[in-house]
Amino acid sequence: MTTNIRRAFCIVVAALALSWGGGIARAAEPITIGLSMALTGGLAAVGKSGLLAMQIWAENTNAKGGLLGRPVKLIYYDDQSNPSTVPGIYTKLIDVDKVDLVISGYATNMVAPAMPIVMQKERLFFGLFSLGVNVEFHYPKYFSMLVFGPDPKPAFSKGWFDIAMAQDPKPQTIALVTADAEFGRNALDGARENVKKFGLKTVYDRAYPPTTVDYTPIIRAVQATNPDIVYVASYPPDTAGLLRAISEIGLKTNMFGGALVGVATAALRQQLGPLMNGIVVVENWEPAKTMEFSGIWDFLKQYQAKAPSEGVDPLGYFLPPFAYAEMQVLGQAITEVGSLDEDKLAQYMHSHPFKTIVGDISFGPDGEWTEARPIFVQYHGIKGNDLDQFRDDSRITLLSPPQFKTGELIWPYSKARE
């Protein structure tokens, strides 16, 4: 082979190597998934646990070769539990970071302010524990990881009212309490529908400012109306304040609870302990034999092994299984579609069921689950603040729906608090 031929041959080989190497490099670029998450502020105890679940999904997925032959990478920023930070975060994720996909952080109040941004940018969006934010928008690329089905606002409290109205004598009057914020307004909209349906008389219906720190005036005002039952929609800091106020001044009513967000977290269970006795609340999952979905304990063992070093909820029963399931849905959709085309992904997600660690899920036109599946539980027999008493369902009775039921209601509230 002459010198010139050898030189030409080497040039061709080098060019091919660069081409192949560039292709490999491009194929190895990660699929980026962007989100905000409450890592500080009032929602951080829950938000950090959800982020850990997502990180476990990413680790598991990458260990199996990633998606579409590419690793996955989460890009996230702390929204500080403050809705006003959310629009800026999603603008940055989309316009500056240029992430492939966006998902929400935790909670209705954080999802709602992201919606106008993702709609304007026409991006696929997944809301994590967000109640009814797409009811008015009907945005076709929105999907919800929450158990309340196609009509989420009334479904959020229907089971609670079913339980109350099955008692003898039936309740006649009700007090409604919430914070003046997106979540509370949506929850109370649904509760009022159920109040009307069951013919109850509302004797108290007020929203307190989200900045409230002293809840004793609220409980005193409720007690002054002497309601048969009391329905509350509160976020974790409010939940703790309201239950402490009840412990301090007492509350005479037959049933108390509703949507006391946070009582399923280890942080509030340890803080409040016996103060939770008697409450009847909506939840998503508990460690009962009736709810042992395929794969959920494998995930929880992974999560619980990592939780202590990460300083997050050591049990992980509230948000983590659903945060992981959300990522499972995304992963399955990407794999089946074979691309990151968000229009195609949305079409697939609307038209196919998904198998997850929280059961089989299908999505309707507004991105809500096609079938509502909340559980309604009562806390009882809690002694002290030891977290180990919550590792099984011995202190929590599943009252509804029938397929998950494990026991009967203790009535009235005063008896259940003993």
Side-chain angles (χ1 to χ4, degrees):
M1 185 179 293
T2 68
T3 301
N4 289 339
I5 293 174
R6 281 199 299 270
R7 186 179 296 116
F9 178 78
C10 290
I11 291 170
V12 170
V13 170
L16 288 172
L18 285 171
S19 175
W20 292 336
I24 292 169
R26 284 193 294 274
E29 290 177 0
I31 294 172
T32 52
I33 303 173
L35 68 149
S36 76
M37 186 60 84
L39 304 179
T40 56
L43 302 179
V46 180
K48 289 189 289 187
S49 70
L51 179 61
L52 176 57
M54 293 174 178
Q55 291 170 327
I56 291 172
W57 171 82
E59 290 175 10
N60 291 346
T61 300
N62 288 337
K64 296 176 182 177
L67 298 173
L68 308 180
R70 299 164 59 184
V72 295
K73 179 182 178 181
L74 302 178
I75 297 178
Y76 56 89
Y77 300 99
D78 179 13
D79 60 36
Q80 304 167 43
S81 305
N82 183 351
S84 69
T85 67
V86 171
I89 288 174
Y90 281 89
T91 300
K92 182 178 188 300
L93 286 167
I94 295 169
D95 292 343
V96 179
D97 297 320
K98 299 189 183 302
V99 295
D100 295 303
L101 298 164
V102 286
I103 58 177
S104 84
Y106 161 65
T108 308
N109 290 359
M110 303 298 120
V111 179
M115 285 292 284
I117 305 299
V118 296
M119 290 171 63
Q120 180 186 10
K121 304 291 185 179
E122 298 184 345
R123 301 301 298 266
L124 182 78
F125 194 48
F126 220 137
L128 180 60
F129 278 27
S130 175
L131 180 62
V133 299
N134 203 30
V135 169
E136 285 79 25
F137 296 123
H138 303 294
Y139 181 54
K141 296 184 194 177
Y142 171 84
F143 298 88
S144 175
M145 182 50 66
L146 196 56
V147 300
F148 298 106
D151 198 8
K153 289 184 181 181
F156 193 61
S157 56
K158 182 181 181 299
W160 192 90
F161 283 91
D162 286 339
I163 293 165
M165 300 308 292
Q167 306 311 306
D168 186 18
K170 291 182 179 181
Q172 301 296 316
T173 59
I174 185 170
L176 301 172
V177 183
T178 193
D180 187 13
E182 188 82 17
F183 165 74
R185 288 191 291 268
N186 288 349
L188 264 288
D189 284 348
R192 292 185 190 102
E193 287 187 43
N194 289 313
V195 166
K196 183 177 180 180
K197 173 185 173 183
F198 287 109
L200 287 161
K201 179 182 179 182
T202 301
V203 294
Y204 183 96
D205 184 351
R206 294 182 188 175
Y208 53 84
T211 54
T212 298
V213 293
D214 181 6
Y215 295 87
T216 53
I218 298 169
I219 297 301
R220 291 187 190 280
V222 169
Q223 186 63 80
T225 65
N226 195 31
D228 292 332
I229 56 178
V230 180
Y231 182 89
V232 177
S234 57
Y235 265 2
D238 319 1
T239 295
L242 289 163
L243 289 177
R244 289 192 177 106
I246 289 173
S247 176
E248 179 183 340
I249 66 176
L251 175 65
K252 294 180 180 179
T253 190
N254 289 330
M255 188 163 134
F256 177 85
L260 300 179
V261 176
V263 293
T265 66
L268 279 195
R269 288 178 176 183
Q270 283 186 297
Q271 289 177 35
L272 299 174
L275 300 187
M276 297 192 299
N277 281 331
I279 62 172
V280 177
V281 294
V282 62
E283 290 187 359
N284 303 292
W285 187 84
E286 284 293 349
K289 293 292 184 183
T290 55
M291 301 201 79
E292 290 188 344
F293 304 114
S294 177
I296 193 162
W297 280 111
D298 292 333
F299 161 72
L300 285 170
K301 287 175 183 176
Q302 268 191 291
Y303 172 91
Q304 290 173 359
K306 292 177 177 288
S309 62
E310 296 292 332
V312 300
D313 186 321
L315 297 181
Y317 296 160
F318 179 49
L319 186 66
F322 294 86
Y324 190 90
E326 173 181 291
M327 306 309 288
Q328 284 185 300
V329 170
L330 272 182
Q332 290 173 36
I334 291 167
T335 298
E336 294 302 319
V337 171
S339 81
L340 298 176
D341 184 303
E342 292 178 277
D343 290 326
K344 292 179 180 178
L345 288 174
Q347 291 171 8
Y348 184 88
M349 290 167 69
H350 277 300
S351 58
H352 291 78
F354 295 86
K355 291 189 176 298
T356 78
I357 62 169
V358 296
D360 294 348
I361 300 170
S362 297
F363 299 98
D366 279 345
E368 302 289 351
W369 291 18
T370 55
E371 181 181 353
R373 206 197 64 205
I375 59 172
F376 294 85
V377 309
Q378 184 176 43
Y379 287 74
H380 56 81
I382 300 168
K383 307 292 185 183
N385 300 84
D386 179 19
L387 189 60
D388 283 342
Q389 64 188 316
F390 295 106
R391 291 192 179 273
D392 56 30
D393 63 343
S394 59
R395 301 294 187 271
I396 302 167
T397 297
L398 278 67
L399 304 171
S400 173
Q403 68 266 34
F404 301 132
K405 185 175 179 179
T406 62
E408 302 298 328
L409 176 72
I410 303 171
W411 174 278
Y413 180 51
S414 57
K415 180 180 179 182
R417 289 181 64 199
E418 295 174 357

